[in-house]
Every structure is written in C-alpha cells, then in structure tokens.
Amino acid sequence: MKKNFLVLLVVILFLSITSPAAAQQASLYLAPSRGTFLIGSTFSVSIYVDTKGSKINVVELDLKFPSDLLQVTSPTAGESFVSQWLTPPSYSNEGGTISFKGGIPEGIVTSAGLVSTITFRARSAGIAGVEFLDSSKVLLADGKGTPVFTTNIGGIYEILIPPPEGPKINSPTHPDQEIWYGDPNPQFSWEKEEGVGDELRSSSPFASARVADFSYSFSQNPKEVPDTISEGDSTFKVYENAADGIWYFHLRQNKNGVWGKTSHFQTKIDTTPPQKFKIKAEIYSGFIYFETKDIYSGIDHYEISVTNLSQVPTPSPFFVEAASPYKIPHQEPGKYRVQVRAYDRVGNFETAEIEFQKLSPFISLVEQKGMQIKGFFISWQLLFLGLFLGLVFFGYFLFYLMKPKTGFKKGIKEIEEALAEIKKIEGREKELEEKRKEFEKEKEKLEEKLK
C-alpha cells in the first residue's frame, strides 16, 4: 500500500511539471448577472473574460438561454477585444443558443475583456437563466493552443408581468381638463377591465387576469400616487365643496395582485367672482375708467350700463360689452349712474357703481352742429361769420396803422420828436444844476472872507 502511494505521488509531480497550464485559470462571466425586468422590455447582457494573468489568444463560447422566456434582439461585437472571428457569431431564438469563436493573434492579458454585448427581449414571466455550456473554452497564447481551466458565472434574470396601465378617467361634470368650471362638486368615472374570454384561458397564463379593486385620491399635487389600500371596486366617485383652484384626481387599479400605474385627471374650479373694484369718471369729458383682476380663471370681459338720471322718466338701459376707457354716449350735462360688471371665464361677475354730475366744459364741440362755450351754444354758421368779421376788422386796423399821416408811421414820428424834446429839457436841467453848485461854492468863499 505504501508502494502504491509513492507511485501516485510521482505521477502527480510529473503531471504538474509537464502540464504547466493545469495550474492556470480564466474566468467567464456575464454582467449584469442578476436583474428584474418586465415582459416586453429589453435589457443588455455583456460577456467578459478574466484571464487571471495568463496570455490568451482564442476564445470559444457557447451559451444557452430559455427561448420561451427570452429572445435575442441585438447581438453585437462592435467593442469586442476579439480582432478576428474564426466563425461569425451566431444565435438561435428557437434553440436558445449563442456561439462565439474568435482569436487575438497578438494575444491579450485582461481582467475584464469584453467579448460581446447581447440585447434580450423579455417574452414571458419566469426565471430566465443564461449559462455557459461545457463546450466553452479559452486557449493560451503558448503556440500549442493549450486550454485554460475556466470558471463560468452565468446570469439569472427574473421576468415579471408588467403592472397594468392606469385606467382611463372621465368626468361628466368637468369633462375638459383645460376649462374652468363653477361647480365645486366634481364627479369622476372610469372603466373596469373584466378579463378576456374563456376560449383564451387555456393558451395564456395571463388570460384570467382581471382588475380586482381601485385606489384613488383627490389633491392639488399633480404627481401624487395613491396608496395601495383598496377603495373597493366601484367605478364612480363624487367630491363635494372642493375649494377653488386646480385639482387632480389620481387613480390606480389592482390587477392580479399588482398595483398598476397612476392615471391623473385635472379639474379646474372657480366659484369666486373677480375682485372688488371702483369706477372713475371724468365729469367734463364723460370718460369712464375701470379695471379689476380675477385670482383663478381670469377676467373674460366687462359690461356697462349708463343711466341719465336727469331725464324724466328715467330710462332703464341694457348692459353692453365695453372696454376701459369708455365714453358715455350722452353729451348733455346732468346726473348719471354708471354700473360696470366684470366677468371671469367661468361666468362669475362682480358689479361696481358710481353716480356723478357731468359738467359742461368751457369749450366743447357738438358734432355737426357747432360749439358750446360755458353752456352757450354757437352754430358753425354763426362762428364762421364771426371769424370773417374779425379778419376784416383786423385787416382794416393794420391798414390804418400803416398810413403815413394817420397811421403807425405818424405815431412813431411824434414819439421821436417828444423824446428829442425831453432830452433838451434834461440838458437844461443839468446846466442849472451845475450853476447852482458854482453859486454854492462862491457863497461859501464870501462867508469865509466875512469871518
């Protein structure tokens, strides 16, 4: 027995010396190796080689995938470290196989060498395992094509049924999501999916899928998602006395125990009239000014009614659409009452009123009749006659001034003569003043001598 043990030890030592590649390894792995995806979605898986420090020049890979769960849609080797494909990469969606066989003439040492990237489409629900077959191998760049011992790490991917889409929501009271409404009691309804017919249930594992119940909420947050607590299977909901503003009805449905996506329905409510406002009136021109704002739906238009309180009997005029400034159609002075209604886009309105005494301006024009000056009316014919007479008088006055004997020139000559006479008188006064000063001096001298 001891002899047999020695023989076995010698054989092991011989193999370790004559087969150095036996101690060398490489690793084949998929990335990502785990994942959860929905039916109908696609995802990519990359194949990598880790040579563990060895230099390799040939890669032969065979992979297996469940063809009932996955389908290859886009295999690509565009960024592969393999420079020469010994046989073109191939795949079979029927057999669920993928094959690669390529070489790197110069050899390569890598810890994450990309062989290829494969895009799968999830076909049906289940656990899809993608694994390397035993035929996969990596060869050393030693001139002999010595195979390297490999460890293979495949991938496991969970394929789930996609959650149901959000139900389609309608509102009999607020049907248009972009229009404001004055009803604070919105109503919402939606359809309930009952499942497919019995004739398909045997062929599809999802044929019996049906909506069991719903969860919903009503808020002013446009992105709110209802909780997963069932509100029952009713397909109608009413909310009462909602405040003014923009609201959202959020709805989810539970199908086969899976809560689906959220549907959102926008509702605009405005029960508040526009803000209170005041009217301004110009007592001479008769212009009326008004303006206000609406917090929610906005101002749609204004309507105005003008009553002449000076008339007997007092008329009752209609409201007519108007814009500011508005000129009252009455020209005559008197007392007036003006009412203005401001309407928002829903139909809510706010009314303002003013009474004022319209006065006649100093000068005002009366269309096609004449001019009114401080309450006195002058016809256009009389006005033109007055202007004509005024021009005639002005012309005669100018002619009179320009006559040589009696006109403007004569007046100028007389003024010049009067000015010359004034200058002579001023000169005589100056001479008298100088003589007076000389007399005073002489007087002082005589007084000094007498002393």
Side-chain angles (χ1 to χ4, degrees):
M1 185 173 180
K2 186 176 181 180
K3 184 178 180 180
N4 293 337
F5 176 75
L6 291 174
V7 172
L8 180 61
L9 181 61
V10 171
V11 171
I12 294 174
L13 290 174
F14 176 77
L15 290 175
S16 64
I17 295 173
T18 58
S19 302
Q24 300 182 22
Q25 297 182 0
S27 177
L28 303 174
Y29 61 94
L30 302 180
S33 60
R34 296 287 187 276
T36 302
F37 307 96
L38 302 177
I39 294 177
S41 66
T42 58
F43 61 96
S44 296
V45 176
S46 298
I47 306 170
Y48 290 95
V49 176
D50 181 1
T51 65
K52 305 290 186 180
S54 300
K55 189 174 185 180
I56 66 169
N57 60 1
V58 176
V59 176
E60 295 184 23
L61 303 180
D62 296 309
L63 292 90
K64 181 72 174 177
F65 65 90
S67 59
D68 58 332
L69 302 181
L70 300 178
Q71 178 185 24
V72 176
T73 62
S74 178
T76 176
E79 297 183 1
S80 175
F81 71 84
V82 178
S83 57
Q84 294 183 1
W85 294 103
L86 304 179
T87 59
S90 61
Y91 68 95
S92 171
N93 280 327
E94 295 181 358
T97 58
I98 306 173
S99 298
F100 299 94
K101 186 175 182 179
I104 310 95
E106 65 280 8
I108 189 172
V109 178
T110 177
S111 60
L114 176 64
V115 178
S116 179
T117 298
I118 306 167
T119 300
F120 290 101
R121 175 179 286 112
R123 299 184 61 184
S124 57
I127 303 299
V130 179
E131 57 183 352
F132 292 94
L133 298 179
D134 293 339
S135 56
S136 301
K137 56 185 175 181
V138 178
L139 305 183
L140 284 175
D142 59 357
K144 301 177 183 180
T146 305
V148 179
F149 176 74
T150 60
T151 57
N152 304 327
I153 303 174
I156 298 177
Y157 310 100
E158 184 179 12
I159 311 301
L160 301 177
I161 301 172
E165 295 292 332
K168 184 178 180 180
I169 305 172
N170 298 296
S171 175
T173 56
H174 302 66
D176 194 327
Q177 299 185 59
E178 299 302 323
I179 294 180
W180 288 86
Y181 296 90
D183 185 357
N185 306 310
Q187 302 176 8
F188 302 97
S189 62
W190 56 92
E191 298 178 356
K192 181 178 181 180
E193 184 181 348
E194 296 296 343
V196 298
D198 293 334
E199 67 278 4
L200 298 178
R201 291 181 181 174
S202 60
S203 59
S204 174
F206 314 111
S208 60
R210 63 183 299 274
V211 175
D213 42 23
F214 302 92
S215 177
Y216 45 78
S217 62
F218 188 60
S219 70
Q220 293 185 297
N221 179 5
K223 298 182 179 180
E224 184 172 291
V225 176
D227 56 32
T228 55
I229 300 175
S230 173
E231 305 284 352
D233 59 357
S234 174
T235 59
F236 188 79
K237 179 62 179 177
V238 179
Y239 292 93
E240 297 181 351
N241 299 320
D244 288 357
I246 301 177
W247 291 83
Y248 300 89
F249 180 68
H250 315 281
L251 177 66
R252 299 175 72 186
Q253 62 183 5
N254 187 313
K255 185 175 181 180
N256 284 348
V258 178
W259 285 100
K261 298 179 181 178
T262 302
S263 296
H264 308 277
F265 193 92
Q266 179 178 267
T267 301
K268 296 182 176 181
I269 298 174
D270 183 6
T271 61
T272 304
Q275 296 177 352
K276 293 184 179 298
F277 63 102
K278 293 183 178 180
I279 303 172
K280 294 182 180 180
E282 291 186 354
I283 60 176
Y284 290 106
S285 65
F287 277 102
I288 307 299
Y289 300 89
F290 47 87
E291 184 180 13
T292 187
K293 296 180 180 179
D294 186 78
I295 298 176
Y296 298 105
S297 61
I299 297 296
D300 184 73
H301 70 280
Y302 296 91
E303 292 182 359
I304 191 170
S305 171
V306 180
T307 304
N308 188 347
L309 300 177
S310 301
Q311 292 182 358
V312 180
T314 302
S316 299
F318 288 94
F319 277 88
V320 295
E321 188 168 337
S324 179
Y326 176 82
K327 184 175 177 58
I328 63 175
H330 308 282
Q331 295 295 330
E332 61 273 13
K335 188 175 183 180
Y336 290 88
R337 179 173 62 239
V338 177
Q339 293 178 303
V340 176
R341 290 177 180 174
Y343 286 83
D344 63 18
R345 294 193 177 106
V346 175
N348 306 308
F349 67 89
E350 179 66 33
T351 303
E353 182 177 319
I354 188 175
E355 290 187 4
F356 70 100
Q357 187 73 32
K358 184 177 183 298
L359 304 178
S360 175
F362 182 79
I363 298 178
S364 61
L365 299 178
V366 180
E367 295 180 2
Q368 299 179 354
K369 293 182 180 181
M371 180 182 295
Q372 187 169 276
I373 301 176
K374 292 194 71 174
F376 294 98
F377 176 75
I378 303 175
S379 66
W380 292 121
Q381 292 83 354
L382 184 60
L383 182 63
F384 290 146
L385 178 60
L387 288 174
F388 175 75
L389 294 175
L391 289 174
V392 172
F393 175 78
F394 183 72
Y396 176 77
F397 179 72
L398 289 178
F399 176 75
Y400 177 81
L401 290 177
M402 298 303 293
K403 288 178 68 177
K405 294 184 179 181
T406 60
F408 184 67
K409 291 183 178 180
K410 181 182 179 182
I412 292 176
K413 185 177 180 181
E414 292 177 350
I415 292 172
E416 289 177 349
E417 292 176 352
L419 291 175
E421 192 66 28
I422 291 171
K423 286 183 178 180
K424 289 180 181 181
I425 294 172
E426 289 177 349
R428 291 172 183 172
E429 290 180 350
K430 188 175 181 181
E431 290 177 358
L432 291 173
E433 180 65 22
E434 289 177 353
K435 290 181 178 181
R436 187 185 66 79
K437 290 180 178 180
E438 291 177 358
F439 174 78
E440 291 292 333
K441 289 180 179 180
E442 291 294 329
K443 181 180 178 182
E444 290 178 357
K445 290 179 179 179
L446 290 174
E447 289 177 349
E448 288 292 329
K449 289 180 178 182
L450 290 175
K451 289 180 181 180

